[in-house]
Amino acid sequence: MKARVLIDNLTKSDLKPEWGLSIYIEYKGHPILLDAGASGLFADNAEAMGISLSQVEFAVLSHAHYDHGDGLERFFERNQKAKVYLQKDSGENCYSRNDDPFEKYIGLKKGMLKQYEDRFSYVDGRFSPLPGVTLLPHTTAGLEKTGKKAGMYVWERGGWRPDSFRHEQSLVLETDSGLVIFNSCSHAGADCIIRETEAAFPGKHIEAFIGGFHLFRSSDEEVREFAARVRDTGIRRLCTGHCTGDRAMEILKEELGDMVSQLYTGYEIQIA
Protein backbone atom coordinates (compact mmCIF):
# COMPACT_ATOMS: atom_id res chain seq x y z
CA MET A 1 0.00 0.00 0.00
CA LYS A 2 1.28 3.43 -0.96
CA ALA A 3 -0.43 6.69 -0.02
CA ARG A 4 0.37 10.18 -1.32
CA VAL A 5 -1.13 13.36 0.12
CA LEU A 6 -2.60 15.50 -2.66
CA ILE A 7 -3.70 18.35 -0.39
CA ASP A 8 -3.09 19.31 3.22
CA ASN A 9 -2.73 22.59 5.12
CA LEU A 10 1.07 22.37 4.85
CA THR A 11 3.49 21.98 1.98
CA LYS A 12 7.26 21.62 1.66
CA SER A 13 7.50 22.20 -2.08
CA ASP A 14 5.85 24.05 -4.95
CA LEU A 15 2.71 21.96 -4.42
CA LYS A 16 -0.19 24.11 -3.23
CA PRO A 17 -1.68 23.73 0.27
CA GLU A 18 -5.16 24.55 1.55
CA TRP A 19 -7.33 23.84 4.59
CA GLY A 20 -8.50 20.39 3.60
CA LEU A 21 -7.28 16.88 2.92
CA SER A 22 -7.08 14.56 -0.06
CA ILE A 23 -5.07 11.33 -0.27
CA TYR A 24 -4.33 9.15 -3.30
CA ILE A 25 -3.88 5.49 -2.41
CA GLU A 26 -2.50 2.61 -4.44
CA TYR A 27 -3.66 -0.68 -2.95
CA LYS A 28 -2.68 -3.94 -4.66
CA GLY A 29 -2.80 -2.25 -8.05
CA HIS A 30 -6.07 -0.42 -7.36
CA PRO A 31 -6.00 3.42 -7.36
CA ILE A 32 -8.30 4.92 -4.72
CA LEU A 33 -9.04 8.55 -3.84
CA LEU A 34 -9.89 9.53 -0.28
CA ASP A 35 -11.52 12.98 -0.19
CA ALA A 36 -10.89 15.87 -2.53
CA GLY A 37 -10.11 18.90 -0.38
CA ALA A 38 -12.00 22.18 -0.52
CA SER A 39 -11.31 23.10 -4.15
CA GLY A 40 -9.63 21.87 -7.30
CA LEU A 41 -6.11 22.37 -5.94
CA PHE A 42 -5.77 18.68 -5.13
CA ALA A 43 -6.21 17.87 -8.82
CA ASP A 44 -3.56 20.41 -9.84
CA ASN A 45 -1.17 18.85 -7.34
CA ALA A 46 -2.00 15.36 -8.59
CA GLU A 47 -1.06 16.41 -12.11
CA ALA A 48 2.20 17.92 -10.85
CA MET A 49 2.93 14.65 -9.02
CA GLY A 50 2.31 12.57 -12.14
CA ILE A 51 -0.91 11.06 -10.81
CA SER A 52 -3.77 10.47 -13.24
CA LEU A 53 -7.11 10.96 -11.49
CA SER A 54 -8.85 9.52 -14.55
CA GLN A 55 -7.53 6.10 -13.53
CA VAL A 56 -9.04 6.14 -10.01
CA GLU A 57 -11.35 3.11 -9.62
CA PHE A 58 -13.44 4.59 -6.81
CA ALA A 59 -13.36 7.42 -4.31
CA VAL A 60 -14.34 7.58 -0.66
CA LEU A 61 -15.81 10.62 1.10
CA SER A 62 -14.78 10.42 4.74
CA HIS A 63 -17.50 12.81 5.92
CA ALA A 64 -19.84 15.49 4.63
CA HIS A 65 -17.75 18.65 5.21
CA TYR A 66 -16.74 21.18 2.56
CA ASP A 67 -12.98 20.86 3.13
CA HIS A 68 -13.12 17.21 2.12
CA GLY A 69 -15.87 17.13 -0.47
CA ASP A 70 -16.10 20.39 -2.40
CA GLY A 71 -13.16 19.40 -4.61
CA LEU A 72 -15.19 16.47 -5.93
CA GLU A 73 -16.55 18.64 -8.74
CA ARG A 74 -13.04 18.80 -10.17
CA PHE A 75 -12.66 15.06 -9.67
CA PHE A 76 -15.81 14.45 -11.70
CA GLU A 77 -14.32 16.54 -14.50
CA ARG A 78 -11.13 14.48 -14.51
CA ASN A 79 -12.76 11.08 -13.98
CA GLN A 80 -15.93 10.09 -15.84
CA LYS A 81 -16.67 6.74 -14.22
CA ALA A 82 -15.56 6.29 -10.61
CA LYS A 83 -18.22 6.14 -7.92
CA VAL A 84 -17.83 8.08 -4.66
CA TYR A 85 -18.84 6.06 -1.62
CA LEU A 86 -20.37 7.94 1.31
CA GLN A 87 -22.46 6.98 4.30
CA LYS A 88 -26.23 7.08 3.80
CA ASP A 89 -26.66 9.78 6.46
CA SER A 90 -24.49 12.20 4.52
CA GLY A 91 -26.28 15.40 3.57
CA GLU A 92 -25.80 19.12 3.04
CA ASN A 93 -26.64 20.03 6.62
CA CYS A 94 -23.48 20.35 8.74
CA TYR A 95 -22.80 23.48 10.80
CA SER A 96 -20.35 24.82 13.34
CA ARG A 97 -22.10 26.78 16.08
CA ASN A 98 -19.16 28.16 18.07
CA ASP A 99 -17.73 30.39 15.37
CA ASP A 100 -18.43 33.92 14.20
CA PRO A 101 -21.06 34.03 12.81
CA PHE A 102 -22.64 31.77 15.40
CA GLU A 103 -24.10 29.42 12.82
CA LYS A 104 -21.46 28.72 10.18
CA TYR A 105 -22.19 26.29 7.37
CA ILE A 106 -19.39 23.72 7.01
CA GLY A 107 -21.20 21.13 4.88
CA LEU A 108 -20.86 20.07 1.28
CA LYS A 109 -21.54 22.59 -1.46
CA LYS A 110 -25.29 23.07 -1.65
CA GLY A 111 -26.83 21.16 -4.54
CA MET A 112 -23.80 18.99 -5.28
CA LEU A 113 -25.35 15.73 -4.06
CA LYS A 114 -28.29 16.24 -6.41
CA GLN A 115 -26.29 17.55 -9.34
CA TYR A 116 -23.95 14.55 -9.32
CA GLU A 117 -26.36 11.97 -7.91
CA ASP A 118 -25.31 9.41 -10.52
CA ARG A 119 -21.74 9.54 -9.22
CA PHE A 120 -22.51 9.07 -5.52
CA SER A 121 -23.09 5.65 -4.01
CA TYR A 122 -24.60 5.66 -0.52
CA VAL A 123 -23.65 2.81 1.77
CA ASP A 124 -25.45 1.70 4.91
CA GLY A 125 -22.95 0.74 7.58
CA ARG A 126 -19.91 -1.46 6.96
CA PHE A 127 -19.12 -2.00 3.29
CA SER A 128 -16.31 -3.57 1.28
CA PRO A 129 -15.87 -2.15 -2.24
CA LEU A 130 -12.84 -4.37 -2.82
CA PRO A 131 -11.25 -7.38 -1.08
CA GLY A 132 -9.07 -6.10 1.75
CA VAL A 133 -10.78 -2.68 1.71
CA THR A 134 -13.49 -1.80 4.23
CA LEU A 135 -15.53 1.33 4.86
CA LEU A 136 -16.28 1.40 8.57
CA PRO A 137 -18.89 3.72 10.13
CA HIS A 138 -18.97 4.67 13.78
CA THR A 139 -20.42 2.09 16.14
CA THR A 140 -19.76 3.91 19.42
CA ALA A 141 -22.88 5.11 21.21
CA GLY A 142 -23.33 8.66 22.50
CA LEU A 143 -21.13 10.48 19.98
CA GLU A 144 -23.59 13.38 19.92
CA LYS A 145 -21.94 14.43 23.21
CA THR A 146 -18.65 14.74 21.35
CA GLY A 147 -20.37 16.75 18.62
CA LYS A 148 -21.97 19.09 21.15
CA LYS A 149 -18.66 19.68 22.92
CA ALA A 150 -17.02 20.52 19.59
CA GLY A 151 -19.88 22.86 18.65
CA MET A 152 -20.77 20.75 15.62
CA TYR A 153 -24.43 20.38 14.68
CA VAL A 154 -26.64 19.19 11.86
CA TRP A 155 -29.89 20.81 10.78
CA GLU A 156 -32.36 17.96 10.62
CA ARG A 157 -36.16 17.85 10.36
CA GLY A 158 -36.41 21.56 11.06
CA GLY A 159 -34.23 21.59 14.16
CA TRP A 160 -30.67 21.48 15.47
CA ARG A 161 -29.12 18.20 16.57
CA PRO A 162 -25.59 17.73 17.92
CA ASP A 163 -23.62 15.91 15.26
CA SER A 164 -23.19 12.21 16.09
CA PHE A 165 -21.03 11.85 12.96
CA ARG A 166 -23.24 9.23 11.35
CA HIS A 167 -21.96 10.64 8.06
CA GLU A 168 -18.33 9.84 8.95
CA GLN A 169 -16.52 6.66 7.98
CA SER A 170 -13.05 5.19 8.16
CA LEU A 171 -11.26 3.55 5.27
CA VAL A 172 -9.49 0.41 6.54
CA LEU A 173 -6.95 -1.48 4.44
CA GLU A 174 -5.59 -4.92 5.22
CA THR A 175 -1.83 -5.21 4.62
CA ASP A 176 0.84 -7.79 5.46
CA SER A 177 2.01 -5.46 8.25
CA GLY A 178 -1.47 -5.13 9.72
CA LEU A 179 -4.52 -2.91 9.35
CA VAL A 180 -4.10 0.67 8.17
CA ILE A 181 -6.84 3.15 9.13
CA PHE A 182 -7.56 6.32 7.18
CA ASN A 183 -9.94 8.85 8.73
CA SER A 184 -9.58 12.40 7.52
CA CYS A 185 -10.79 14.28 10.64
CA SER A 186 -11.52 11.65 13.30
CA HIS A 187 -14.22 13.78 14.91
CA ALA A 188 -15.15 10.96 17.28
CA GLY A 189 -11.53 10.68 18.43
CA ALA A 190 -8.78 8.61 16.83
CA ASP A 191 -8.59 6.44 19.94
CA CYS A 192 -12.33 5.72 19.62
CA ILE A 193 -11.87 4.83 15.95
CA ILE A 194 -9.00 2.48 16.76
CA ARG A 195 -11.21 0.67 19.29
CA GLU A 196 -14.04 0.46 16.74
CA THR A 197 -11.62 -1.05 14.23
CA GLU A 198 -10.36 -3.55 16.79
CA ALA A 199 -13.95 -4.65 17.39
CA ALA A 200 -14.64 -4.93 13.66
CA PHE A 201 -11.47 -6.96 13.00
CA PRO A 202 -11.00 -9.11 16.11
CA GLY A 203 -7.50 -10.49 16.57
CA LYS A 204 -5.95 -8.34 13.83
CA HIS A 205 -3.07 -5.97 14.53
CA ILE A 206 -3.50 -2.29 13.69
CA GLU A 207 -0.28 -0.97 12.19
CA ALA A 208 -1.03 2.66 11.35
CA PHE A 209 -3.56 5.49 11.46
CA ILE A 210 -3.37 8.17 8.76
CA GLY A 211 -5.42 11.38 8.83
CA GLY A 212 -6.43 14.40 10.86
CA PHE A 213 -7.17 14.13 14.59
CA HIS A 214 -9.25 17.32 15.08
CA LEU A 215 -7.26 18.54 18.07
CA PHE A 216 -6.65 22.13 16.94
CA ARG A 217 -9.06 23.49 19.55
CA SER A 218 -8.11 21.05 22.33
CA SER A 219 -6.24 22.10 25.47
CA ASP A 220 -2.73 20.83 26.16
CA GLU A 221 -4.10 18.57 28.88
CA GLU A 222 -6.71 17.11 26.56
CA VAL A 223 -4.08 16.35 23.92
CA ARG A 224 -1.82 14.64 26.47
CA GLU A 225 -4.72 12.54 27.70
CA PHE A 226 -5.55 11.66 24.11
CA ALA A 227 -1.92 10.64 23.47
CA ALA A 228 -2.01 8.32 26.47
CA ARG A 229 -5.17 6.65 25.24
CA VAL A 230 -3.69 6.13 21.77
CA ARG A 231 -0.48 4.73 23.25
CA ASP A 232 -2.53 2.20 25.20
CA THR A 233 -4.01 0.81 21.96
CA GLY A 234 -0.61 -0.53 20.90
CA ILE A 235 -0.74 1.04 17.45
CA ARG A 236 2.73 1.52 15.95
CA ARG A 237 2.44 4.49 13.60
CA LEU A 238 0.49 7.74 13.35
CA CYS A 239 0.64 10.06 10.34
CA THR A 240 -1.42 13.14 11.06
CA GLY A 241 -2.03 16.70 9.93
CA HIS A 242 -4.84 18.92 8.65
CA CYS A 243 -7.12 19.55 11.66
CA THR A 244 -4.70 18.17 14.26
CA GLY A 245 -3.12 21.59 14.79
CA ASP A 246 0.45 22.81 15.31
CA ARG A 247 0.38 22.86 19.10
CA ALA A 248 -1.26 19.45 19.30
CA MET A 249 1.39 18.07 16.95
CA GLU A 250 4.13 19.38 19.24
CA ILE A 251 2.55 17.63 22.21
CA LEU A 252 1.99 14.39 20.31
CA LYS A 253 5.67 14.36 19.34
CA GLU A 254 6.61 14.95 22.97
CA GLU A 255 4.35 12.18 24.23
CA LEU A 256 4.65 9.60 21.44
CA GLY A 257 8.00 10.36 19.82
CA ASP A 258 8.91 8.85 16.48
CA MET A 259 5.66 6.96 16.11
CA VAL A 260 4.13 10.30 14.99
CA SER A 261 4.78 11.82 11.55
CA GLN A 262 3.55 15.15 10.17
CA LEU A 263 1.39 15.04 7.05
CA TYR A 264 1.92 17.67 4.36
CA THR A 265 1.02 18.15 0.72
CA GLY A 266 3.22 15.73 -1.23
CA TYR A 267 3.89 13.43 1.75
CA GLU A 268 4.29 9.76 0.86
CA ILE A 269 3.96 6.66 3.00
CA GLN A 270 4.40 3.05 2.00
CA ILE A 271 3.39 0.05 4.09
CA ALA A 272 4.02 -3.51 2.95
Side-chain angles (χ1 to χ4, degrees):
M1 181 223 79
K2 181 179 180 180
R4 305 171 73 183
V5 178
L6 302 183
I7 206 76
D8 180 73
N9 312 5
L10 304 177
T11 188
K12 295 185 177 182
S13 66
D14 292 336
L15 298 173
K16 303 300 183 183
E18 72 178 2
W19 178 267
L21 194 63
S22 176
I23 302 177
Y24 175 80
I25 302 164
E26 296 172 350
Y27 179 75
K28 297 184 178 180
H30 300 277
I32 303 167
L33 180 70
L34 174 64
D35 290 350
S39 72
L41 279 179
F42 85 101
D44 297 337
N45 288 338
E47 185 174 356
M49 295 165 68
I51 294 171
S52 175
L53 294 176
S54 66
Q55 301 304 307
V56 168
E57 290 185 20
F58 64 87
V60 175
L61 182 63
S62 64
H63 61 290
H65 285 178
Y66 78 97
D67 49 335
H68 299 266
D70 279 7
L72 285 171
E73 289 186 309
R74 179 71 71 85
F75 175 66
F76 295 144
E77 293 175 3
R78 298 288 179 89
N79 184 304
Q80 304 300 314
K81 62 183 187 303
K83 292 289 188 179
V84 178
Y85 292 109
L86 69 170
Q87 283 293 313
K88 69 178 182 63
D89 288 306
S90 299
E92 298 166 357
N93 62 344
C94 294
Y95 290 79
S96 174
R97 301 191 71 204
N98 57 8
D99 289 311
D100 184 18
F102 181 61
E103 295 168 5
K104 179 182 178 182
Y105 183 67
I106 58 172
L108 300 172
K109 183 178 179 180
K110 293 287 189 178
M112 184 169 66
L113 294 177
K114 178 64 176 177
Q115 182 179 355
Y116 299 98
E117 60 184 347
D118 61 322
R119 302 298 300 275
F120 290 107
S121 181
Y122 294 87
V123 299
D124 186 1
R126 181 171 177 169
F127 176 73
S128 178
L130 190 72
V133 178
T134 301
L135 306 182
L136 201 63
H138 288 304
T139 54
T140 302
L143 290 181
E144 63 275 0
K145 296 178 181 177
T146 302
K148 184 176 182 179
K149 181 180 178 182
M152 304 181 83
Y153 286 76
V154 294
W155 180 258
E156 192 174 75
R157 294 188 293 274
W160 293 109
R161 177 178 60 80
D163 200 339
S164 63
F165 309 114
R166 296 199 309 261
H167 56 95
E168 187 171 68
Q169 59 186 348
S170 297
L171 170 64
V172 183
L173 306 181
E174 299 180 54
T175 75
D176 292 341
S177 298
L179 302 176
V180 179
I181 304 170
F182 291 84
N183 190 301
S184 294
C185 275
S186 310
H187 291 108
D191 54 318
C192 172
I193 292 166
I194 292 170
R195 296 301 186 193
E196 291 175 342
T197 305
E198 287 176 336
F201 296 88
K204 292 196 175 183
H205 163 70
I206 300 176
E207 176 68 16
F209 195 126
I210 302 171
F213 291 166
H214 209 262
L215 298 171
F216 70 104
R217 285 178 172 157
S218 299
S219 68
D220 288 7
E221 181 180 2
E222 288 172 330
V223 177
R224 294 189 193 281
E225 291 173 350
F226 164 81
R229 294 194 301 271
V230 170
R231 185 190 299 111
D232 289 344
T233 69
I235 195 170
R236 293 179 184 172
R237 191 168 184 180
L238 304 173
C239 303
T240 187
H242 179 43
C243 55
T244 297
D246 295 341
R247 176 56 183 161
M249 178 62 73
E250 292 176 2
I251 296 172
L252 292 177
K253 293 290 287 184
E254 290 173 8
E255 297 291 327
L256 302 174
D258 291 341
M259 70 181 288
V260 181
S261 300
Q262 172 75 62
L263 293 180
Y264 55 86
T265 305
Y267 179 89
E268 296 186 9
I269 179 174
Q270 193 157 349
I271 297 177

